[in-house]
Amino acid sequence: MSYFSELSRQYIDGRWQAGSGAWDIVDLNPYDGEKLAAFTVATVAEVDQAYRAAERAQQEWGRRNPYSRRLVFERALRIIEEREQEITEAIIAELGGTRLKAAFELSLSKDMLRECMQLSLRAEGRILPSPVDGKENRLYRLPVGVVGVISPFNFPLFLSLKAVAPALALGNAVVLKPHQEAPVTGGTLLAKIFEEAGLPAGLLNVVLTDIAEIGDTFLEHPVPKVIAFTGSDQVGRHVARVAAGHFKRTVLELGGNSALIVLDDADLDYAVDAAVFSRFAHQGQVCMAANRVLVDRSVAAEFTERFVAKVRTLKVGDPQDPATQLGPLINSAQAEAISAQVDQAVAEGATVLLRGATVGTLMEPVVLTDVPAESEILRRELFGPVVVLVPFDGEDEAVRIANDTPFGLSGAVHTGDVERGVRLAKRIETGMIHINDGTIHDEAIVPFGGEKSSGVGRLNGEATVEAFTTLKWISVQHGRSRFPF
């Protein structure tokens, strides 16, 4: 595909160049194993070049009229709209995403660009009173300078854009390190879009590399003031430790183990539809996915019968086929790891309600129940098409089970009484939770983020302004101060 041959290079200071490392990152189609591209890795020297270019370019960009900055995002939106079909094919090829998944990711990406047009104008200052006569306290909201962004493989176009575009809109420069499994859709494709949209050279740099080559250089480099990371909680902990040691701020969007709770007065058919989508969207490779479906025992048998019947109908296969609902996992190692987690749960006593075959990267859905309370599968993130059904007796037990996990990202409550659902939702230790809906949602103006091991900080809307700007206090004494000596 032309995107992969054209965009298989580093993008530093407005130039497309090969990395100078001694080995290549090979980009493979997860469905058929086809080689899409190879990228010679960036070294420590190229990471330094990228950050220094960003530092130089940001000075003028930060001073630019925000009405001028927003034009870049208008043009970027038009480019994506004009090339939706090409980008869709890239998402399918590189990620194994279905056509439905690609459409969802593109919709989120376009909404984020629309929000960034407005975000450019939202870095508002304030004037505060002072107890000192004649003094004026001005608070200026300024760009932080340079932001380092590390993005994941599951929704790489959107999740890269979600940090990159707002940071740029607010007057910063960015160095982006996409995941090795998504170097184009999560990295160089964005560079190409913004290059064509007229973003000045140096403001967005994309380095394709790995910690095996650069260690912690991306985090430790003196230029970036904020590190925005989306990925696993294990890596997120490391990012947090290193960044804190260098007095850098972090925005950490980490994993989840969300619960979708079905109360005794829920619309069961609707709850089944919501639960199936919430678990199996993009093969379960979604941080907000409903790993656990908690069902009131009074309706558990009926819900389970309908749920398993619907899951049986899901079509697994070639993501190019519009009828496919579950494509491949990102690689065979991921499929093997998920299968091993299922095997462990079964060995511990879990009951298998449904388990199909796993062939290479294709994994048919797995539905488990009767999982022992101490089983690890109930508490960890499951990044694959596996779900656990858990019965409960009453709301208090539902809350206890839902909160019995280190994570706290998303969730959902299904009930015939909305306010009952809200009361219950307030007791769930998550950053986000949805009444009578699925667990997978992201809206450009609503704060997105988690509690506990699901992350630190929020993105979207005003939360993004907080994340990528800093406050500066400038006082003006209009009279004369009196000093004690």
Side-chain angles (χ1 to χ4, degrees), residues 11 35 47 77 167 230 233 237 247 285 331 382 388 460:
Y11 184 71
K35 179 179 175 180
V47 172
L77 175 60
T230 304
D233 63 304
R237 282 186 171 84
F247 300 102
Q285 298 175 122
N331 53 46
L382 287 170
V388 179
N460 296 351

Side-chain angles (χ1 to χ4, degrees), residues 311-384:
V311 174
R312 285 185 191 278
T313 69
L314 298 177
K315 178 176 172 54
V316 181
D318 186 349
Q320 286 283 358
D321 184 348
T324 295
Q325 293 160 304
L326 275 71
L329 295 178
I330 194 65
N331 53 46
S332 56
Q334 180 74 5
E336 291 166 7
I338 295 295
S339 294
Q341 291 177 31
V342 174
D343 291 341
Q344 180 182 347
V346 172
E348 292 168 346
T351 298
V352 177
L353 297 177
L354 181 67
R355 186 177 190 182
T358 299
V359 180
T361 55
L362 288 178
M363 185 175 186
E364 294 181 334
V366 179
V367 182
L368 302 176
T369 193
D370 301 327
V371 176
E374 67 277 6
S375 179
E376 186 65 20
I377 203 170
L378 288 171
R379 291 169 185 81
R380 66 170 52 174
E381 183 173 42
L382 287 170
F383 230 55

Side-chain angles (χ1 to χ4, degrees), residues 40-284:
T40 302
V41 295
T43 64
V44 168
E46 275 117 25
V47 172
D48 180 65
Q49 289 173 19
Y51 273 131
R52 298 300 177 186
E55 185 179 40
R56 289 192 301 270
Q58 190 275 328
Q59 298 299 313
E60 181 180 349
W61 181 248
R63 292 190 296 266
R64 182 179 286 197
N65 188 310
Y67 281 91
S68 171
R69 290 202 300 262
R70 71 188 298 190
L71 297 176
V72 171
F73 304 97
E74 292 180 13
R75 291 191 289 264
L77 175 60
R78 286 199 297 271
I79 290 168
I80 288 180
E81 289 174 335
E82 291 165 2
R83 299 183 190 171
E84 281 199 41
Q85 185 56 43
E86 297 169 57
I87 297 172
T88 295
E89 296 301 328
I91 289 172
I92 293 170
E94 188 169 58
L95 313 177
T98 63
R99 294 191 176 276
L100 174 64
K101 186 268 187 188
F104 183 43
E105 185 164 7
L106 280 163
S107 175
L108 291 170
S109 299
K110 290 185 289 185
D111 277 349
M112 182 55 65
L113 286 170
R114 293 185 185 102
E115 166 65 7
C116 285
M117 295 176 203
Q118 306 304 317
L119 201 63
S120 299
L121 311 178
R122 285 201 207 143
E124 300 169 348
R126 300 174 63 193
I127 297 179
L128 299 179
S130 171
V132 178
D133 290 342
K135 177 173 284 189
E136 177 184 40
N137 288 318
R138 303 181 186 180
L139 291 185
Y140 289 86
R141 189 168 284 282
L142 304 174
V144 295
V146 176
V147 177
V149 177
I150 304 173
S151 61
F153 69 80
N154 57 338
F155 277 73
L157 176 67
F158 172 60
L159 292 176
S160 293
L161 190 69
K162 182 174 180 173
V164 167
L168 292 170
L170 291 163
N172 301 287
V174 175
V175 178
L176 167 64
K177 179 190 170 300
H179 195 281
Q180 279 183 230
E181 302 281 6
V184 171
T185 52
T188 53
L189 175 57
L190 274 181
K192 183 66 173 174
I193 289 169
F194 277 107
E195 180 184 54
E196 293 187 16
L199 185 72
L203 289 172
L204 174 59
N205 305 270
V206 178
V207 290
L208 305 162
T209 189
D210 185 77
I211 59 171
E213 178 68 33
I214 65 168
D216 285 332
T217 298
F218 193 90
L219 306 174
E220 294 174 336
H221 196 282
V223 165
K225 301 300 186 292
V226 174
I227 301 293
F229 170 81
T230 304
S232 71
D233 63 304
Q234 297 97 323
V235 179
R237 282 186 171 84
H238 180 74
V239 171
R241 283 194 297 268
V242 175
H246 292 268
F247 300 102
K248 299 179 189 295
R249 286 158 48 186
T250 54
V251 181
L252 305 175
E253 302 288 340
L254 309 179
N257 182 20
S258 299
L260 185 147
I261 301 171
V262 182
L263 297 181
D264 54 5
D265 60 349
D267 179 332
L268 294 189
D269 285 333
Y270 178 64
V272 164
D273 289 345
V276 170
F277 177 79
S278 296
R279 176 59 266 178
F280 297 106
H282 193 40
Q283 299 78 260

